[in-house]
């Protein structure tokens, strides 16, 4: 994990540091107050966007012990004693430059991926294919934006042997900033589609901007059959000292695709490279997956992988959810949630995926207005209607003023609404039953609200509670504690039937520090309801691991088996410094690491970058019984001994907690 002084960071961005002698060491970059985990070592960037100004969160973060800030507006520093501020003209540019300076401290080979579609899949597949040989750092999920790329690159260190980062842009001038941060030695462009067309004068300008990612790359990998891409690469780089490495199905290229045969749920792809012919299988048949797979093979061949290794690994490519999330839905339905963007290319991919699902004969597509595509609106929606008919979609629900104006183009069972809210006002669960549903909408239509209604709910409990009495009880217990003592409140089993959101919202308003839930789905419901407090999850099985990162939840870890499986999953996702809570068994004898496990736990934590221990805790077995005070004291002594041993191995401090409600009194 990187660590730099504020003085060093200020010098990188030519910012003014006040006070100039502040000695904070920075390890974490913070952009969202809701994601604060390590206040003492976090540097908050007060980003300014069209919708919010990050400077407004400084008082809250300061009250939560953050003491280091990058700002672009004048502040009354007297209100923040002990804090340090780096003043810059542009906080986003400062974020990017700081990470760019850190990136240059290390020199592993780095693959930079751009294109309109497929970036995330190619990145994840490359990680899967090359992980046996390399210690890889990569973008988590689709972190490819002006903010996502710096956050992806920041964790790079001397132990990383290969980097794989994706870069996406929506307007001219953005790629130079991302190239400066990623600094790829190997470039790969997947394709050029309609996504974000509205930000450019045309595809030529968009391609020109995307190719700026490769200005310092040694090699560029691409599909020769995309003529626009091929010509653009020749125009920009033919005279540069770069290797152009291409593949093609019907033209001269470094890799020739001789045939593609689809059998059942597999595709067999035969290629020729350097006078050698061989075939490899992939467990997919859709065109997008085939193209993404060949991109991956091109990278492997460029890096010198043997054909036998490629053949063996390609047949085990994993299916990745990415933006196409498949979930069980209400009334025995299947929900495919792709409500991230609405453009022609991603729509065809999502519709292809829907067609592959054979669970239900009936198929419904809920679709919003599309992003600008270069086509006239009438032609675009005519093409959409025709494609839906070809794919035998049973029902179409269109949302948005533009698609609604072309409702007559859609034959069969179809309905249209001007807004998402208008659709939700008439929504009833009985409208969807025994069918597969594709949810495909642009971000601005907030289709996640539709997804929440369609997803299958596991827990529903209603109970009337006097919230004033709850507040009174909370204030009473807070009055018994030292002002610096943090308070974690259990809201597991949906607040024991009291209503998870209502109770959590009340607790958040009254300034508690942590919530704890029993299962990840409870934490997910809190996040969906707008709860931003840190949430500890007490019971987490492997199926729930994706929910931890998706909803910013922090798991309790209580056994070597669990920490091993969680570590493996985090490594597979490219996630480091994930906050966890270590449970010790000091006498309750339910769950937790025993004192005999501490040595092995220390060694395990020292050998992985996956975790950052947020707290270590235990549970008093008889804290409410004065007759057992001697036993309670023994638990406390044993707990502190284990904590000291953990802290000496970890090299950093963490919160310790063992007091339950009875111990407060």
């Amino acid at each position: 994990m990187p660590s730099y002084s504020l003085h060093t960071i200020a010098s990188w961005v030519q910012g003014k540091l006040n006070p100039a002698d502040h000695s904070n060491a920075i390890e974490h970059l913070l952009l969202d107050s809701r994601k604060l985990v390590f206040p003492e070592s976090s540097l908050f960037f007060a980003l300014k966007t069209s919708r919010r100004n990050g400077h407004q969160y400084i008082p809250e973060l300061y009250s939560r012990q953050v003491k280091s800030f990058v700002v672009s507006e004048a502040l009354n520093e007297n209100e923040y004693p002990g804090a340090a501020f780096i003043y810059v003209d542009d906080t986003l540019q400062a974020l990017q430059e700081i990470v760019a300076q850190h990136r240059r401290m290390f020199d592993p080979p780095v693959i930079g991926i751009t294109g309109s579609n497929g970036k995330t899949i190619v990145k994840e597949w490359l990680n899967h294919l090359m992980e046996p040989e390399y210690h890889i750092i990569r973008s988590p999920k689709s972190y490819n934006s002006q903010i996502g790329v710096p956050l992806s690159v920041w964790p790079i260190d001397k132990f990383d042997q290969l980097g794989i980062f994706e870069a996406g842009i929506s307007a001219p001038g953005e790629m130079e900033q991302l190239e400066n941060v990623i600094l790829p030695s190997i470039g790969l462009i997947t394709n050029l589609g309609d996504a974000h067309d509205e930000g450019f004068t045309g595809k030529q300008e968009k391609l020109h901007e995307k190719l700026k990612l490769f200005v310092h790359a040694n090699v560029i990998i691409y599909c020769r059959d995309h003529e626009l891409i091929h010509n653009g690469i020749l125009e920009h780089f033919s005279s540069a000292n770069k290797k152009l490495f291409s593949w093609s199905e019907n033209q001269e290229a470094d890799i020739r695709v001789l045939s593609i045969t689809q059998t059942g749920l597999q595709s067999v792809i035969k290629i020729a490279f350097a006078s050698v012919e061989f075939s490899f299988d992939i467990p997919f048949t859709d065109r997008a997956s085939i193209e993404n797979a060949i991109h991956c093979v091109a990278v492997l061949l460029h890096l010198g992988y043997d054909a036998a290794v490629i053949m063996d690994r390609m047949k085990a490519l994993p299916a990745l959810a990415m933006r196409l999330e498949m979930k069980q839905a209400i009334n025995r339905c299947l929900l495919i949630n792709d409500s991230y963007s609405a453009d022609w290319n991603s729509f065809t991919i999502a519709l292809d995926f829907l067609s592959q699902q054979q669970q239900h004969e009936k198929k419904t597509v809920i679709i919003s207005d599309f992003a600008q595509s270069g086509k006239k609106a009438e032609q675009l929606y005519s093409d959409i209607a025709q494609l839906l008919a070809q794919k035998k979609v049973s029902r179409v629900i269109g949302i948005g003023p533009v698609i609604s104006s072309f409702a007559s183009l859609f034959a069969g069972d179809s309905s249209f609404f001007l807004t998402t809210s208008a659709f939700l006002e008439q929504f009833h669960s009985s409208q969807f039953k025994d069918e597969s549903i594709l949810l495909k909408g642009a971000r601005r239509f907030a289709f996640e609200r539709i997804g929440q209604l369609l997803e299958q709910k596991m827990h529903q409990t209603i109970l009337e509670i006097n919230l004033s009495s709850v507040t009174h009880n909370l204030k009473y217990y807070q009055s018994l504690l030292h002002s610096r003592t943090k308070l974690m409140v259990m809201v597991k089993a949906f607040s024991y039937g009291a209503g998870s959101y209502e109770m959590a919202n009340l607790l958040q308003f009254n300034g508690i520090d942590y919530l704890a839930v029993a299962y990840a789905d409870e934490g997910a419901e809190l996040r969906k309801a707008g709860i931003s407090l840190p949430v500890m999850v007490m019971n987490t099985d492997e199926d729930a691991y994706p929910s931890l990162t998706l909803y910013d939840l922090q798991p309790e870890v209580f056994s070597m088996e669990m920490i091993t499986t969680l570590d493996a999953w985090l490594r597979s996702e490219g996630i480091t410094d994930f906050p966890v809570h270590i449970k010790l068994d000091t006498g309750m004898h339910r769950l937790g690491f025993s004192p005999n496990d501490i040595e092995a736990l220390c060694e395990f934590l020292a050998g992985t970058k996956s975790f950052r221990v947020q707290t270590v805790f235990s549970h008093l077995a008889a804290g409410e019984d004065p007759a057992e005070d001697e036993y309670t004291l023994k638990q406390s002594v044993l707990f502190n001994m284990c904590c000291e041993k953990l802290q000496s191995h970890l090299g950093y401090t963490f919160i310790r907690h063992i007091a339950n409600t009875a111990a407060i009194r």
Side-chain angles (χ1 to χ4, degrees):
M1 174 55 63
S3 180
Y4 298 104
S5 69
L6 282 178
H7 186 270
T8 296
I9 290 174
S11 68
W12 284 346
V13 296
Q14 299 180 351
K16 178 184 177 183
L17 174 62
N18 262 357
D21 60 347
H22 207 286
S23 59
N24 274 15
I26 298 303
E27 296 183 6
H28 303 91
L29 308 182
L30 179 65
L31 311 180
D32 188 334
S33 63
R34 296 167 297 182
K35 297 184 178 180
L36 176 64
V37 178
F38 312 111
E40 296 84 359
S41 57
S42 291
L43 178 62
F44 177 71
F45 292 78
L47 301 181
K48 298 169 71 173
T49 69
S50 59
R51 297 201 309 172
R52 58 176 57 90
N53 185 339
H55 294 80
Q56 71 186 73
Y57 300 103
I58 291 176
E60 174 201 342
L61 287 167
Y62 177 78
S63 70
R64 296 168 63 188
Q65 306 305 311
V66 177
K67 297 298 173 63
S68 304
F69 303 89
V70 178
V71 299
S72 59
E73 296 180 357
L75 298 168
N76 183 358
E77 296 179 19
N78 293 329
E79 296 179 358
Y80 309 101
F85 299 89
I86 299 176
Y87 289 89
V88 298
D89 293 331
D90 188 314
T91 50
L92 175 58
Q93 287 185 10
L95 167 69
Q96 295 167 341
E97 183 59 30
I98 289 166
V99 179
Q101 292 287 344
H102 168 66
R103 160 73 178 89
R104 282 157 176 75
M105 303 290 180
F106 310 97
D107 195 30
V110 169
I111 302 171
I113 305 173
T114 191
S116 296
N117 300 105
K119 298 184 292 294
T120 303
I121 293 289
V122 170
K123 178 202 67 191
E124 293 299 318
W125 280 355
L126 285 175
N127 175 75
H128 172 81
L129 294 164
M130 296 190 288
E131 194 172 29
E133 289 76 38
Y134 295 94
H135 189 286
I136 300 174
I137 180 173
R138 71 192 194 282
S139 313
K141 295 297 182 184
S142 54
Y143 271 39
N144 57 38
S145 66
Q146 297 291 297
I147 292 173
V149 167
L151 293 180
S152 300
V153 176
W154 177 249
I156 194 170
D157 65 20
K158 62 182 179 180
F159 300 106
D160 295 312
Q161 300 169 312
L162 176 68
I164 311 175
F165 302 106
E166 55 178 294
I169 58 173
S170 57
E174 293 183 343
M175 191 59 88
E176 292 99 325
Q177 303 299 325
L178 301 187
E179 192 278 336
N180 187 45
V181 175
I182 297 173
L183 202 63
S185 53
I186 300 170
L188 188 155
I189 182 166
T190 57
N191 50 49
L192 194 70
D194 299 329
H196 300 297
D197 269 3
E198 63 273 19
F200 303 92
T201 58
K203 282 189 168 55
Q204 288 281 2
E205 182 185 39
K206 183 163 67 171
L207 175 63
H208 172 77
E209 292 295 322
K210 286 183 178 293
L211 292 179
K212 290 179 180 179
L213 180 62
F214 307 144
V215 294
H216 294 106
N218 301 318
V219 61
I220 302 173
I221 298 171
Y222 66 101
C223 176
R224 170 67 178 82
D225 296 334
H226 295 300
E227 285 297 325
L228 184 62
I229 293 176
H230 176 66
N231 293 333
I233 288 174
L234 292 181
E235 177 186 348
H236 286 81
F237 301 119
S238 60
S239 61
N241 186 25
K242 297 183 189 299
K243 180 179 181 181
L244 306 183
F245 193 79
S246 63
W247 64 269
S248 173
E249 293 185 58
N250 46 46
Q251 303 188 62
E252 287 301 316
D254 297 276
I255 301 171
R256 283 296 311 277
V257 179
L258 303 178
S259 65
I260 300 173
T261 306
Q262 297 175 344
T263 57
L265 299 177
Q266 290 188 323
S267 297
V268 181
I269 303 168
K270 185 177 182 180
I271 66 171
F273 171 69
S275 302
V276 176
E277 295 183 5
F278 66 94
S279 299
F280 60 91
D281 303 350
I282 62 171
F284 306 96
T285 58
D286 61 286
R287 181 63 200 181
S289 293
I290 291 170
E291 184 171 293
N292 291 335
I294 300 174
H295 282 313
C296 292
V297 169
V299 173
L300 296 180
L301 289 172
H302 166 70
L303 292 175
Y305 276 74
D306 185 76
V309 174
I310 294 174
M311 294 165 65
D312 180 61
R313 294 184 185 174
M314 292 300 291
K315 63 186 179 184
L317 284 178
L320 302 172
M322 298 306 137
R323 296 171 185 169
L324 284 168
E325 296 182 273
M326 189 161 62
K327 301 179 180 180
Q328 293 300 315
I330 58 175
N331 302 328
R332 300 174 300 281
C333 291
L334 175 71
L335 174 65
I336 300 171
N337 193 338
D338 192 26
S339 55
Y340 176 87
S341 62
D343 62 85
W344 179 260
N345 281 348
S346 64
F347 176 60
T348 58
I349 292 170
L351 203 55
D352 197 12
F353 187 75
L354 173 68
S355 299
Q356 294 177 29
Q357 310 310 313
Q358 302 301 317
Q359 296 91 325
H360 304 102
E361 182 178 353
K362 183 179 180 181
K363 293 179 170 59
T364 292
V365 172
I366 304 176
I367 185 174
S368 76
D369 285 351
F370 267 41
Q372 296 178 22
S373 65
K375 296 181 181 180
K376 291 184 177 180
E378 183 174 2
Q379 183 62 54
L380 172 63
Y381 290 101
S382 176
D383 291 346
I384 291 171
Q386 184 178 354
L387 183 59
L388 289 166
Q390 290 174 351
K391 295 293 185 178
K392 296 181 170 55
V393 171
S394 312
R395 176 172 54 161
V396 178
I397 298 173
I399 297 178
V402 182
I403 194 173
S404 296
S405 68
F406 294 103
S408 61
L409 298 174
F410 295 81
D413 187 358
S414 59
S415 56
F416 296 87
F417 303 86
L418 292 179
T419 65
T420 303
S421 296
F423 169 78
L424 293 175
E425 286 174 2
Q426 62 79 57
F427 176 88
H428 194 279
S429 60
S430 62
Q431 297 167 330
F432 300 89
K433 184 178 181 181
D434 296 313
E435 58 191 290
S436 295
I437 307 165
L438 171 61
L439 194 59
K440 184 66 177 156
R443 280 183 178 179
R444 62 191 178 91
F445 285 91
F447 270 18
E448 62 269 17
R449 292 190 289 164
I450 302 176
Q452 290 171 6
L453 291 177
L454 291 173
E455 288 178 26
Q456 188 176 58
K457 300 297 189 297
M458 303 304 295
H459 303 283
Q460 288 184 332
T461 305
I462 299 174
L463 182 67
E464 286 190 5
I465 298 292
N466 187 324
L467 296 180
S468 297
S469 296
V470 174
T471 301
H472 175 271
N473 295 341
L474 174 64
K475 294 297 183 183
Y476 169 73
Y477 279 107
Q478 286 178 323
S479 71
L480 301 177
L481 297 170
H482 192 283
S483 60
R484 292 196 299 271
T485 301
K486 296 183 182 296
L487 191 62
M488 175 185 284
V489 177
M490 299 292 163
V491 290
K492 61 183 181 179
F494 290 97
S495 298
Y496 302 95
S500 57
Y501 164 68
E502 293 82 357
M503 194 63 66
N505 190 55
L506 176 73
L507 295 167
Q508 181 171 267
F509 179 81
N510 283 283
I512 72 149
D513 304 283
Y514 256 95
L515 296 173
V517 297
Y519 299 101
D521 62 345
E522 297 174 334
E525 290 296 325
L526 293 180
R527 289 289 184 250
K528 292 175 183 178
I531 300 301
S532 59
L533 283 171
V535 177
M536 182 179 80
V537 181
M538 302 180 70
N539 302 283
T540 309
D541 57 31
E542 292 185 51
D543 290 339
Y545 288 170
S547 292
L548 298 177
T549 54
L550 180 63
Y551 294 107
D552 197 21
L553 307 174
Q554 303 174 13
E556 168 187 323
V557 179
F558 48 76
S559 69
M560 290 304 301
E561 179 183 2
M562 179 185 179
I563 201 170
T564 301
T565 59
L566 180 57
D567 177 60
W569 185 82
L570 291 170
R571 286 174 183 265
S572 73
E573 295 292 302
I575 297 171
T576 59
D577 266 29
F578 190 73
V580 295
H581 302 259
I582 303 293
K583 184 171 186 178
L584 304 179
D585 179 11
T586 59
M588 188 75 173
H589 301 317
R590 287 183 183 172
L591 295 171
F593 293 93
S594 73
N596 295 332
D597 296 327
I598 298 302
E599 198 67 40
L601 176 60
C602 289
E603 292 179 7
F604 186 90
L605 291 172
T608 179
K609 294 167 59 178
S610 298
F611 305 111
R612 179 83 175 194
V613 177
Q614 182 68 3
T615 78
V616 176
F617 71 104
S618 189
H619 194 82
L620 297 178
E624 72 282 358
D625 188 355
E628 297 293 340
D629 281 354
E630 183 177 354
Y631 186 78
T632 298
L633 182 59
K634 286 181 179 179
Q635 278 193 265
S636 180
V637 171
L638 183 58
F639 173 71
N640 282 318
M641 288 175 56
C642 293
C643 286
E644 290 297 331
K645 185 172 290 187
L646 277 167
Q647 185 165 311
S648 66
H649 279 74
L650 292 174
Y652 58 83
T653 60
F654 44 76
I655 298 171
R656 307 178 185 189
H657 54 113
I658 192 173
N660 56 10
T661 306
I664 294 176
R665 298 196 302 269

